[in-house]
Amino acid sequence: MDWRVLSIVTVINTAYLYLTSSSTSFQTYLTIPFTALGNLFLIYLLYKDYELRGLTLWLALMILSIPTSFTNIFGGNYGSLPLSWYNIFFLVSFISWFLSSRRLSKNRTTVAVLLFLWLCAAVLRSYSPSNALRDFINFVPLIFFYSISTGEISSKEIDTLKNTYVIAGLSLIFPLLIQIASFFLVGKSLGKVAIYPNRIAFGTIFTDFSFLSLFFTSAAALIFEERLFLSVLLLLSSLLTSARTGFISFLLALVFIRSIILVKKQRIVRMIALCMFVIGFYYLGVKFLTPFRQEDLLDPTGRLASIEESVDLILDNLIMGVGLGTEDFKKSFGFSIPHNLIIQLILQTGLVGLLLFLYILIDMEVKMWRSINRLSKFFLTFNTIMIGSLFIPDIVNSRFLPVVIFMSLQGCETRHRT
């Protein structure tokens, strides 16, 4: 773990927490130069010490910029100007790939191109084209990274990308603690804070509490077998947001993955011990979360209602869907967008869009299943996110799914080639 990189990213994210909470022009004047300077330091460290070049260098910067990607480069509303450092680093990643490799996976590229074209049509037929375009922008990295996962990068580079993902997660712990302390001790709200009847939710510079919770636990999953202390620290941080999605998804994914491995090895006693560990960890998590969330941890809180309300709309638009766009969905249709990846996809992109997206997910699962003993950390991370996507909306807009897909597939392909 490079503490220099972690320190720089933590400083950037903490500064963003303060700057984006300001309603004056102060944030505009400082956000770009401050973040640009921080990114220059990161480029120097990644280039010099980790010897990252080309695509992997810019992808590492993309990963480290996930926390700040929910605001634009000026520190303002991303919806009004959908241009963040994450977008910039993605664009440079694409240019770098185009100028150097341009290798594609034939089958994946076919599916990716079809999905790309279908999503273009979904933007045009959307109830809010401008809003749909912003969502479409977040699909593009996923489609691109899925297409270029051909195993060209080394195992060392994959490990470096994995470590940068963990660093990005750890870098949000201090800003989260600052946000909570500011709210309870000073009475000042910094960043994303929401007060509900049964809980107070903290999102730091993320715009969605569940996204932040899932980001913490997906990072925890990557190092769960290697650095248990840091993994538990990330899991506890996910609970501090008061969102339960990440924590529950991690536990379910852990039971799923480890049970498969233990059954294959006929380690029944260890499987029983695992189940006892998960039950105990869940109990401790509930106790930890109680001061922040006074309600049943398994309460669906209206999620089932939005799914039920979407049935008629799905049946009326079964093939084509109603189009992309999440911000204006409730205003247009009278109910919240379904908190479930499958239901949301068939609702917005129709049966065709759902099948194309499911092909990508199934391809991922099959590839990692074959490499489960060697790549269980990526399998655990990917399934943590996938389980979480069944309880929250718009997982593609989380920003971290595309890079997890790339790291996971590259890991599979690299191991296969070696």
mmCIF file of all heavy atoms in Angstrom, residues 342-359:
data_model
loop_
_atom_site.group_PDB
_atom_site.id
_atom_site.type_symbol
_atom_site.label_atom_id
_atom_site.label_comp_id
_atom_site.label_asym_id
_atom_site.label_seq_id
_atom_site.Cartn_x
_atom_site.Cartn_y
_atom_site.Cartn_z
ATOM 1 N N ILE A 342 -32.077 -5.433 -12.936
ATOM 2 C CA ILE A 342 -32.812 -6.163 -13.970
ATOM 3 C C ILE A 342 -34.088 -5.423 -14.349
ATOM 4 O O ILE A 342 -34.381 -5.210 -15.534
ATOM 5 C CB ILE A 342 -33.137 -7.593 -13.509
ATOM 6 C CG1 ILE A 342 -31.870 -8.330 -13.061
ATOM 7 C CG2 ILE A 342 -33.857 -8.351 -14.617
ATOM 8 C CD1 ILE A 342 -30.817 -8.437 -14.126
ATOM 9 N N ILE A 343 -34.848 -5.019 -13.336
ATOM 10 C CA ILE A 343 -36.103 -4.318 -13.595
ATOM 11 C C ILE A 343 -35.852 -2.974 -14.261
ATOM 12 O O ILE A 343 -36.552 -2.576 -15.196
ATOM 13 C CB ILE A 343 -36.896 -4.113 -12.285
ATOM 14 C CG1 ILE A 343 -37.142 -5.460 -11.591
ATOM 15 C CG2 ILE A 343 -38.216 -3.415 -12.562
ATOM 16 C CD1 ILE A 343 -37.948 -6.435 -12.406
ATOM 17 N N GLN A 344 -34.830 -2.259 -13.802
ATOM 18 C CA GLN A 344 -34.520 -0.956 -14.392
ATOM 19 C C GLN A 344 -34.100 -1.086 -15.850
ATOM 20 O O GLN A 344 -34.509 -0.293 -16.708
ATOM 21 C CB GLN A 344 -33.415 -0.257 -13.603
ATOM 22 C CG GLN A 344 -33.091 1.140 -14.142
ATOM 23 C CD GLN A 344 -31.931 1.795 -13.415
ATOM 24 O OE1 GLN A 344 -31.461 1.310 -12.394
ATOM 25 N NE2 GLN A 344 -31.456 2.906 -13.954
ATOM 26 N N LEU A 345 -33.281 -2.100 -16.164
ATOM 27 C CA LEU A 345 -32.821 -2.283 -17.536
ATOM 28 C C LEU A 345 -33.962 -2.614 -18.490
ATOM 29 O O LEU A 345 -34.063 -2.046 -19.575
ATOM 30 C CB LEU A 345 -31.757 -3.391 -17.593
ATOM 31 C CG LEU A 345 -30.349 -3.007 -17.139
ATOM 32 C CD1 LEU A 345 -29.459 -4.241 -17.074
ATOM 33 C CD2 LEU A 345 -29.739 -1.956 -18.064
ATOM 34 N N ILE A 346 -34.841 -3.539 -18.074
ATOM 35 C CA ILE A 346 -35.935 -3.892 -18.973
ATOM 36 C C ILE A 346 -36.933 -2.748 -19.100
ATOM 37 O O ILE A 346 -37.560 -2.557 -20.148
ATOM 38 C CB ILE A 346 -36.636 -5.196 -18.503
ATOM 39 C CG1 ILE A 346 -37.508 -5.747 -19.640
ATOM 40 C CG2 ILE A 346 -37.450 -4.967 -17.242
ATOM 41 C CD1 ILE A 346 -38.054 -7.121 -19.363
ATOM 42 N N LEU A 347 -37.036 -1.939 -18.056
ATOM 43 C CA LEU A 347 -37.927 -0.787 -18.097
ATOM 44 C C LEU A 347 -37.379 0.303 -19.017
ATOM 45 O O LEU A 347 -38.111 0.872 -19.831
ATOM 46 C CB LEU A 347 -38.133 -0.230 -16.686
ATOM 47 C CG LEU A 347 -38.948 1.066 -16.556
ATOM 48 C CD1 LEU A 347 -40.362 0.865 -17.079
ATOM 49 C CD2 LEU A 347 -38.978 1.520 -15.100
ATOM 50 N N GLN A 348 -36.099 0.590 -18.920
ATOM 51 C CA GLN A 348 -35.521 1.703 -19.668
ATOM 52 C C GLN A 348 -34.987 1.317 -21.043
ATOM 53 O O GLN A 348 -35.051 2.118 -21.981
ATOM 54 C CB GLN A 348 -34.397 2.351 -18.854
ATOM 55 C CG GLN A 348 -34.879 3.049 -17.596
ATOM 56 C CD GLN A 348 -33.796 3.896 -16.982
ATOM 57 O OE1 GLN A 348 -32.716 3.411 -16.653
ATOM 58 N NE2 GLN A 348 -34.063 5.175 -16.816
ATOM 59 N N THR A 349 -34.425 0.118 -21.170
ATOM 60 C CA THR A 349 -33.822 -0.277 -22.448
ATOM 61 C C THR A 349 -34.574 -1.410 -23.128
ATOM 62 O O THR A 349 -34.171 -1.843 -24.215
ATOM 63 C CB THR A 349 -32.354 -0.697 -22.255
ATOM 64 O OG1 THR A 349 -32.302 -1.906 -21.470
ATOM 65 C CG2 THR A 349 -31.568 0.385 -21.542
ATOM 66 N N GLY A 350 -35.643 -1.908 -22.510
ATOM 67 C CA GLY A 350 -36.436 -2.961 -23.114
ATOM 68 C C GLY A 350 -35.779 -4.329 -23.020
ATOM 69 O O GLY A 350 -34.680 -4.487 -22.471
ATOM 70 N N LEU A 351 -36.438 -5.308 -23.563
ATOM 71 C CA LEU A 351 -35.955 -6.684 -23.509
ATOM 72 C C LEU A 351 -34.623 -6.842 -24.245
ATOM 73 O O LEU A 351 -33.741 -7.572 -23.790
ATOM 74 C CB LEU A 351 -37.011 -7.618 -24.118
ATOM 75 C CG LEU A 351 -36.762 -9.116 -23.983
ATOM 76 C CD1 LEU A 351 -36.665 -9.520 -22.518
ATOM 77 C CD2 LEU A 351 -37.864 -9.903 -24.690
ATOM 78 N N VAL A 352 -34.469 -6.142 -25.356
ATOM 79 C CA VAL A 352 -33.222 -6.237 -26.131
ATOM 80 C C VAL A 352 -32.040 -5.708 -25.323
ATOM 81 O O VAL A 352 -30.990 -6.347 -25.228
ATOM 82 C CB VAL A 352 -33.348 -5.472 -27.462
ATOM 83 C CG1 VAL A 352 -32.014 -5.478 -28.211
ATOM 84 C CG2 VAL A 352 -34.440 -6.080 -28.330
ATOM 85 N N GLY A 353 -32.198 -4.524 -24.739
ATOM 86 C CA GLY A 353 -31.126 -3.945 -23.930
ATOM 87 C C GLY A 353 -30.780 -4.820 -22.743
ATOM 88 O O GLY A 353 -29.601 -4.988 -22.403
ATOM 89 N N LEU A 354 -31.805 -5.403 -22.103
ATOM 90 C CA LEU A 354 -31.568 -6.282 -20.955
ATOM 91 C C LEU A 354 -30.753 -7.497 -21.366
ATOM 92 O O LEU A 354 -29.788 -7.862 -20.682
ATOM 93 C CB LEU A 354 -32.905 -6.721 -20.357
ATOM 94 C CG LEU A 354 -32.822 -7.793 -19.256
ATOM 95 C CD1 LEU A 354 -32.076 -7.254 -18.048
ATOM 96 C CD2 LEU A 354 -34.218 -8.274 -18.861
ATOM 97 N N LEU A 355 -31.116 -8.130 -22.477
ATOM 98 C CA LEU A 355 -30.411 -9.340 -22.917
ATOM 99 C C LEU A 355 -28.953 -9.044 -23.278
ATOM 100 O O LEU A 355 -28.053 -9.836 -22.961
ATOM 101 C CB LEU A 355 -31.137 -9.954 -24.112
ATOM 102 C CG LEU A 355 -32.520 -10.560 -23.812
ATOM 103 C CD1 LEU A 355 -33.174 -11.051 -25.095
ATOM 104 C CD2 LEU A 355 -32.413 -11.683 -22.794
ATOM 105 N N LEU A 356 -28.705 -7.908 -23.924
ATOM 106 C CA LEU A 356 -27.333 -7.543 -24.260
ATOM 107 C C LEU A 356 -26.500 -7.304 -23.005
ATOM 108 O O LEU A 356 -25.339 -7.724 -22.917
ATOM 109 C CB LEU A 356 -27.326 -6.291 -25.139
ATOM 110 C CG LEU A 356 -27.844 -6.474 -26.570
ATOM 111 C CD1 LEU A 356 -28.002 -5.117 -27.260
ATOM 112 C CD2 LEU A 356 -26.906 -7.369 -27.372
ATOM 113 N N PHE A 357 -27.092 -6.639 -22.031
ATOM 114 C CA PHE A 357 -26.369 -6.364 -20.790
ATOM 115 C C PHE A 357 -26.158 -7.656 -20.000
ATOM 116 O O PHE A 357 -25.088 -7.867 -19.413
ATOM 117 C CB PHE A 357 -27.147 -5.355 -19.940
ATOM 118 C CG PHE A 357 -26.299 -4.641 -18.926
ATOM 119 C CD1 PHE A 357 -25.627 -3.481 -19.259
ATOM 120 C CD2 PHE A 357 -26.158 -5.141 -17.644
ATOM 121 C CE1 PHE A 357 -24.829 -2.821 -18.337
ATOM 122 C CE2 PHE A 357 -25.371 -4.493 -16.710
ATOM 123 C CZ PHE A 357 -24.698 -3.333 -17.059
ATOM 124 N N LEU A 358 -27.165 -8.532 -19.991
ATOM 125 C CA LEU A 358 -27.031 -9.805 -19.282
ATOM 126 C C LEU A 358 -25.935 -10.670 -19.901
ATOM 127 O O LEU A 358 -25.252 -11.419 -19.192
ATOM 128 C CB LEU A 358 -28.357 -10.560 -19.295
ATOM 129 C CG LEU A 358 -29.432 -10.062 -18.324
ATOM 130 C CD1 LEU A 358 -30.694 -10.909 -18.447
ATOM 131 C CD2 LEU A 358 -28.929 -10.067 -16.883
ATOM 132 N N TYR A 359 -25.762 -10.560 -21.220
ATOM 133 C CA TYR A 359 -24.679 -11.308 -21.870
ATOM 134 C C TYR A 359 -23.332 -10.909 -21.254
ATOM 135 O O TYR A 359 -22.474 -11.763 -20.985
ATOM 136 C CB TYR A 359 -24.669 -11.048 -23.375
ATOM 137 C CG TYR A 359 -23.553 -11.778 -24.092
ATOM 138 C CD1 TYR A 359 -23.765 -13.035 -24.636
ATOM 139 C CD2 TYR A 359 -22.277 -11.211 -24.195
ATOM 140 C CE1 TYR A 359 -22.728 -13.717 -25.280
ATOM 141 C CE2 TYR A 359 -21.247 -11.882 -24.829
ATOM 142 C CZ TYR A 359 -21.483 -13.137 -25.368
ATOM 143 O OH TYR A 359 -20.452 -13.805 -25.984
#
